[in-house]
Structures are given as structure tokens and as C-alpha cells.
Amino acid sequence: MSSPPPEKPLLPERWWAPLGLLAALLVALWAYWPGLKGPFLFDDFGTLPALGEFGPVHTWPIFWRYLTSGGGDPTGRPLALLSFLIDARNWPAAPWPFKFTNLLLQLINGTLLAALLWRLGRVLEPQGTRAARAAVLGAALWLLSPLFVSATLYVVQREAMLAAFFVLLGLLAYTRGRRLMLAGHSRRGIAWALLGLVVCTFLATFSKANGALLPALALVLEATIYTRAPLATAQRRDWRVMLWIFAALPALLLLAYFLWTGVQGTLHHPEVRRWTEPQRLLTEPRVLWDYLKLLWLPRPFTSGLFNDAFVVSRSLWHPADTLPALLGIIALIVLGWRWRIAHPLLALAILFYFTGMAMESTTIPLELYFEHRNYLPALPMFWPLAWWLSDLRRLRGFKATLSLALPVLLALMTLQRATLWGHADQQAMLWAQINPHSARAQAYAAQFEAGNGQPLDAQRRLLPLLAAHPDQVQLAFNLLNVQCQLGGVTPAAAASARTAMATMRNPGTLLTSWFGRALGVARAGHCPGFDLPLLQSLVDAGLGNARLRSNAGRQQDLYYVAGQIALARADIATAQADFEHALSLDVRPGFAAEVAAQLGSAGHPRHALALLDRYQRIAARQPAPGLGMGMIHAWVLREQDYWPRQLGHLRAALAAAAAARPAVPAHSTQ
């Protein structure tokens, strides 16, 4: 009696991986969708207004001015700026299209990661379907990790996402070249590798500077996965020459730059923000362990964008976990190197991660901690786990269950986090709860409380933290705003604000943005105690701040605000002097035009013309832009004769206004 024929599978084995990837993409789309309705945040307002800085981006001259206007790093990140034109060509704009484009890019990157892991897996297992299953699962775990909500839904972090996109394309081109070399097609193989190492590195770097790590990441692939696929002798020689020139040399140059930056920062900038360069280097191992904990022990809610309260390591012994963290990172890197032959997947995950962190977590004096920095380095992080789960010869039921449960669990946490990103007020309150010692988080929450008619709650939030951190000017400014809602500024709050101004570190653009709004409130006179003399006392305290004396940009901000206060008092002579002093601190045609326009709008066209004359006399002192996009932007403006035309139009309008009204003495208060 013949046995019954085996049951035909529901689908061919080769279909399960593509369907699994499609399911992961759809689940990611579902999990992220609630977050698309969230607002712009923080650094979005530092980058996206460039869409309207020169007018709507509807002509080629404006396009080139916009594209070269970036200043996030020496590259200017023009490809990120270019991508924002998909969503808007003027400012202000709605956030939803920007966030939706980010989400699409996240899904594309997940797909590219699956393709890359599949290619690498085929090196380890040329036959069978394990490589495909592991690639899809490894990509799904990365795609659905809740840690990357802060990259995907934070519009400005498209820079990091685009850099990862081009790194993935570059590594895919590199792996294709390596496969062609193995098949004996040397010229085509090297051509594909160069496409990845040269063209894609260029594109990744001009999205965000850490894209320059692509050649070093290719070396990590070579040192781990491709130890299992040695080349023939003749091919090996050509491949090594190519690697030395286009991968090893760029990696060594970057290493030299990191070392030079560290030495320069230590010798010439003893205190950067609230830490020194050696203190940053001691702190980063603890930061990296915190990142790894968030990757491997994920949770739906984290500190988010507020990490200013992260404790700085002042020595190897303070905090106590500084030395263990440093030794642990060194041990991991050593293990990654030693495991590159016996355990290539683990070695890849470790070495890829720390190589990917080399730019933002070593000597470059950036903020200590941001979750989105994990986006690129963590690309193959979950592949070793996925590879183990995809071997169904043992523990089949357990592994199959875990392979389904882990993505579902991550998706649910991502959904919770994305939903929070869609509700700015709830997000602010939760961030403040998670970060009780963060001045930024508490100030942000206080703004929402005050805006929602809860100024007493906002004041109760701000007072104890300001007492503990008297140099936090954002807390002091927010307290003044809240007290205006409560009926008037108290002498104690005014004194706290002066103390903060006198002791603060570099406040960035906070000074001009807050004082710009505060001037309107002071002139309206609706808030007792919040008047022009108070604002002047704050500026005077800032001018006496020893931490800001060598910072020409902040000194210019203070004198500019002082000039605005004098102008509001109708003391045109003092305003003129303050504005001219501010101009002399950092000679820029844009600043001269802005101040002259303010003088003209206030009814003083002759003084505006005098300020433009002053600019013409000192224009030669304008500092030359350094190497990078700033130099190209300056060249574009020169080629378009932009500032001479703008200043010429402004001068003509001011001259016409001056001719239409009688002269007013400089000391007049009329």
C-alpha cells in the first residue's frame, strides 16, 4: 500500500521572506501613523525657515541660495535641504508632509537593510532560505525599534535618515562588487565597489557628515563577513589596492581629524558648554551603554530630546560607573575584533556600531546625548539574534514564536511612542516627568502649562529648579513669562533673571528670540514690572558675563538687543551706537540690512543710511568663510550680486523716506 503524497505547502518557501518584509513595512506604517499629526519641534525651527529666507523657492537663483545656505556642519547638508523641497517651498509650512516623507524614508531604509543583510547572509550560507529569513527579521527588528521614533518623527533628522539611506546604497554597491570579484569579473566588481565607496560616500556626507564613515563601515564588512569569502590571489591584490586608496585612506584621514579635534579642543577650549573635551570623552562610554540598553531593553517612553541633565564624568572615578563603562566599551571592541573569524555576525554588529558612533561620540564637541545618533550605527545590531532565530532545526516552535512576538512587541511600543509624538502637550508633560532635573524639559512643560491657562502650575514647576540651577536662563525667562500671566513680575524673579544672564553659558539663539518677543510685551505695558528698564538690566547683566566676553556672536546679540531697547525708548543716538557696535563685532551684510530696515521702519531713515555707510566702511573686515558650504554660499551670493542689489534697493527706499521728512536731531525723543 503506497503512502499518501506529502502535503503541498501553502506558499513556496521563497515567498515567505518577501511577504514577511511586506508585513513588517505595513506594521511600521500603522505604528508610526498617529505621530504624523505632531508639530515641528526645536531644531526644526533652526533649519526649515531657510525655505522662506530668500522668498519662495520658485526660481533658480533662490534655489541655489537656499541649497547652499545650510550650516549644520561644514558640508551644509545640501541633500537634506533639497529633500525638504518635496514637502514645501516656502515658510511657514505644515509639518504633516515633512513627517510623512520621513516615514516613507524609514520604510525604504528598512527595505534596503533587508537587502543588505540578505546579501551578507548569502556569503555565510550560499544555499537555503535561512539568509532570507534572518535578513527580513533583522531588518524588521531595526525598523520597528521604538528608539528610532525620535529620528523618524523629528523632521530635521531627515539628515540622519538620508545619510543612512546613502550608506545602505553604498554598502549594497560594495557587496555587489565583492560578489562580482568572487565570480571573476574584476573590472565590473571594482567599478561597483567604487560606486559605493566614492559616489555614495559623497552623497551620504552631503546629507550629514557621519555619512563619511561609509568607507570605514565597508572595511568592517571586509574584516568580518568577507573573511568567509577569500578572493583569488590576483583579484586579492587589485581589491586590496582599491581598499587602501578608497576605504582605508579615508578612514585614516577621519581618524587623524578626530585626534586633531580632540587635541585642539583640549588645548584651546578648556570649557565647551558645561564640560571640557576630556570630560566629554570620559562621559561618552556611559552614554553608549545607555544607548545599548535602549536598543536591547526597549521601552515605549524615554528621555526623548531632553538630555541636558545627563551627569558629566568629571574623572575616572566620578560618577563611579565611568571607569567600568570605559573598560566595558574597550572590552566589547576587543571582543568584536577577536570574534571576527569565529563569530562574524556578532563581530559585525559590535564593530559596525562603534565605527558608526566614531564621529558623534568621540572628540567633536557636540551635545553629549541624542537618541537619533543610533539610527545608522545600529543597522545590523539585531541581525545576529535574527540569524539564530532563523535556524529552525532546533527549538523550532520556540524560535518561530519569538520571531513573531518580538516584532509585535516592538511595534506596540513604537505605536505608543509615536502616538505621544502626535500630542505635543502630553509629550511635554511626560518628558518633564521623565527628566525632572532637565532645565529644558521643565521649561518646555511650563510653556504648555502657561499656554493652557495653568500659570500657577508652571510657576511651581520652575521655582525649585531655578533655585537649584540659577544659571539656567531659559528657566528664568519662562518664570518672567509666567508671572506676567499671574499679574506682574516680582523683584525676586527679576533678580533671578539677572543672575541667570550674568552666569549663563552660551545660550545660542535664545537671546534674540526671547528678547524679540519680550520687547513687544514691555512696550505694551500690560505686565507690571516687565518693562524696558528690566530688559536693559538683563542685557547689562549679560554684557558683564565673563563666560560670554570672548564670544563675538553672543556679544553681538546683546548689543543688538540693547539697540532695540534704546530704539523702543526713542533714544536714537544710543540705538545707533549699540547697533554699530554690534555690527563691528561680526561684520555681515545681512545684519546691516536687518538693522537698517528696523531703523527705517521706526521712522529714522537718515540713521539707517548712516548705518549702511558704516557698513560700507568696515565691509572689508567681514571674515572670509571657512572651507565648506559657507564658502560656496558666499560665492553664489557674489555671482548673483545679491547683497549689492539688496542693499541698493534698501538704500534707495531709505533715501526716499529721508527726503520726504525733515531731519530730526539725534538726541530727540520724538
Side-chain angles (χ1 to χ4, degrees):
M1 184 174 179
S2 61
S3 60
E7 293 185 8
K8 186 177 181 180
L10 182 64
L11 285 174
E13 182 73 21
R14 66 179 183 272
W15 282 100
W16 284 109
L19 288 175
L21 178 60
L22 177 61
L25 295 174
L26 291 175
V27 170
L29 182 66
W30 166 76
Y32 272 100
W33 195 263
L36 299 183
K37 62 181 181 180
F40 292 118
L41 294 170
F42 311 118
D43 288 349
D44 291 341
F45 296 103
T47 299
L48 298 178
L51 287 162
E53 182 179 357
F54 302 101
V57 187
H58 293 155
T59 66
W60 284 112
I62 294 177
F63 170 81
W64 290 115
R65 292 198 292 270
Y66 163 72
L67 194 66
T68 59
S69 65
D73 54 48
T75 70
R77 306 175 183 178
L79 291 180
L81 293 179
L82 181 65
S83 75
F84 293 138
L85 294 178
I86 297 171
D87 312 305
R89 297 191 179 183
N90 201 358
W91 185 261
W96 196 94
F98 291 87
K99 292 176 181 283
F100 181 68
T101 301
N102 275 23
L103 177 53
L104 290 181
L105 186 56
Q106 169 73 349
L107 301 180
I108 291 170
N109 283 345
T111 304
L112 293 177
L113 176 59
L116 176 64
L117 297 181
W118 176 74
R119 280 197 180 166
L120 296 176
R122 291 292 298 274
V123 176
L124 304 177
E125 186 198 62
Q127 306 296 328
T129 59
R130 183 182 183 185
R133 292 196 302 268
V136 169
L137 181 56
L141 295 176
W142 176 88
L143 177 68
L144 295 169
S145 172
L147 187 62
F148 302 131
V149 171
S150 61
T152 306
L153 296 180
Y154 193 8
V155 171
V156 74
Q157 289 312 317
R158 186 174 307 171
E159 302 161 344
M161 300 178 75
L162 272 177
F165 169 75
F166 287 115
V167 166
L168 284 166
L169 286 182
L171 294 178
L172 282 167
Y174 179 85
T175 56
R176 177 173 174 79
R178 191 62 161 73
R179 185 162 58 86
L180 287 169
M181 289 292 289
L182 284 170
H185 306 295
S186 298
R187 290 186 178 180
R188 289 173 57 198
I190 289 177
W192 273 99
L194 290 179
L195 176 65
L197 294 177
V198 178
V199 177
C200 289
T201 298
F202 177 86
L203 295 173
T205 304
F206 279 84
S207 299
K208 190 177 181 182
N210 66 341
L213 294 168
L214 196 163
L217 297 173
L219 290 176
V220 171
L221 298 188
E222 197 68 37
T224 55
I225 302 303
Y226 285 109
T227 57
R228 300 294 184 93
L231 296 170
T233 303
Q235 294 171 322
R236 188 184 309 126
R237 183 181 60 250
D238 294 341
W239 192 255
R240 284 182 174 176
V241 170
M242 184 273 299
L243 280 180
W244 269 107
I245 296 174
F246 296 102
L249 181 59
L252 290 172
L253 289 174
L254 272 180
L255 177 61
Y257 174 74
F258 298 152
L259 293 173
W260 178 84
T261 301
V263 171
Q264 293 296 309
T266 301
L267 295 178
H268 302 298
H269 301 284
E271 184 178 72
V272 182
R273 296 184 175 95
R274 57 190 176 95
W275 36 262
T276 64
E277 184 68 44
Q279 288 170 351
R280 185 182 197 276
L281 288 172
L282 289 174
T283 306
E284 284 305 308
R286 294 173 43 241
V287 172
L288 290 170
W289 279 112
D290 207 59
Y291 290 159
L292 290 170
K293 181 174 67 175
L294 291 175
L295 284 164
W296 284 103
L297 299 172
R299 54 183 186 267
F301 306 122
T302 66
S303 56
L305 304 182
F306 295 111
N307 299 286
D308 51 301
F310 195 90
V311 177
V312 176
S313 292
R314 304 294 176 183
S315 70
L316 285 171
W317 329 110
H318 180 75
D321 58 344
T322 300
L323 182 59
L326 176 61
L327 294 177
I329 295 297
I330 293 173
L332 268 181
I333 295 172
V334 171
L335 283 175
W337 182 254
R338 294 192 63 178
W339 286 346
R340 69 190 189 280
I341 306 298
H343 306 287
L345 279 80
L346 285 173
L348 171 67
I350 294 170
L351 297 179
F352 195 101
Y353 183 76
F354 290 114
T355 301
M357 283 293 184
M359 185 169 290
E360 294 179 303
S361 296
T362 54
T363 60
I364 297 178
L366 305 170
E367 291 272 9
L368 294 177
Y369 190 119
F370 274 123
E371 293 174 359
H372 61 254
R373 291 176 183 166
N374 290 274
Y375 190 86
L376 169 61
L379 285 171
M381 177 65 68
F382 306 110
W383 190 37
L385 173 62
W387 187 264
W388 178 74
L389 290 174
S390 298
D391 182 4
L392 300 179
R393 292 171 297 179
R394 296 179 181 177
L395 304 174
R396 183 183 185 92
F398 171 75
K399 290 181 178 179
T401 301
L402 201 58
S403 297
L404 180 62
L406 286 177
V408 170
L409 180 62
L410 292 176
L412 291 174
M413 287 191 283
T414 296
L415 174 65
Q416 286 181 280
R417 195 171 188 190
T419 301
L420 184 70
W421 275 72
H423 297 85
D425 53 346
Q426 298 175 22
Q427 186 181 52
M429 295 301 109
L430 183 61
W431 278 345
Q433 180 181 345
I434 294 174
N435 302 286
H437 303 295
S438 166
R440 297 175 186 173
Q442 301 306 320
Y444 186 55
Q447 290 174 15
F448 276 92
E449 287 174 328
N452 292 332
Q454 300 169 298
L456 279 174
D457 292 339
Q459 181 172 254
R460 281 193 291 267
R461 179 183 298 278
L462 294 169
L463 283 172
L465 202 59
L466 183 57
H469 304 282
D471 62 338
Q472 291 293 330
V473 72
Q474 57 192 332
L475 295 175
F477 284 172
N478 273 278
L479 181 60
L480 295 179
N481 296 340
V482 167
Q483 289 199 342
C484 275
Q485 285 186 257
L486 292 172
V489 171
T490 64
S496 294
R498 284 189 287 269
T499 299
M501 288 289 292
T503 57
M504 65 182 174
R505 293 175 172 85
N506 188 352
T509 60
L510 177 63
L511 287 181
T512 52
S513 61
W514 184 81
F515 274 103
R517 296 187 297 270
L519 274 166
V521 177
R523 294 181 70 174
H526 299 318
C527 176
F530 196 97
D531 50 21
L532 294 177
L534 170 64
L535 298 186
Q536 184 63 56
S537 72
L538 296 179
V539 171
D540 292 339
L543 289 171
N545 187 333
R547 288 171 168 168
L548 301 182
R549 285 174 187 163
S550 61
N551 190 321
R554 299 293 81 81
Q555 289 287 305
Q556 183 181 58
D557 290 344
L558 288 166
Y559 277 103
Y560 170 65
V561 171
Q564 289 182 306
I565 294 171
L567 191 60
R569 288 173 160 172
D571 184 357
I572 185 60
T574 301
Q576 180 91 14
D578 286 336
F579 284 148
E580 290 191 359
H581 187 70
L583 176 63
S584 68
L585 289 168
D586 186 8
V587 182
R588 291 179 287 117
F591 183 79
E594 179 183 354
V595 174
Q598 286 192 18
L599 286 168
S601 298
H604 305 287
R606 289 183 174 83
H607 294 87
L609 288 168
L611 187 134
L612 291 180
D613 291 339
R614 169 69 175 163
Y615 167 73
Q616 292 298 333
R617 291 193 297 271
I618 65 174
R621 289 165 47 187
Q622 180 176 348
L627 288 174
M629 190 56 67
M631 179 182 293
I632 298 174
H633 185 63
W635 176 82
V636 168
L637 295 179
R638 282 197 307 272
E639 289 297 304
Q640 295 183 2
D641 202 29
Y642 179 76
W643 283 118
R645 288 190 295 106
Q646 293 295 314
L647 295 176
H649 293 326
L650 178 58
R651 185 179 288 276
L654 291 171
R661 60 188 301 159
V664 178
H667 61 274
S668 171
T669 59
Q670 301 298 316

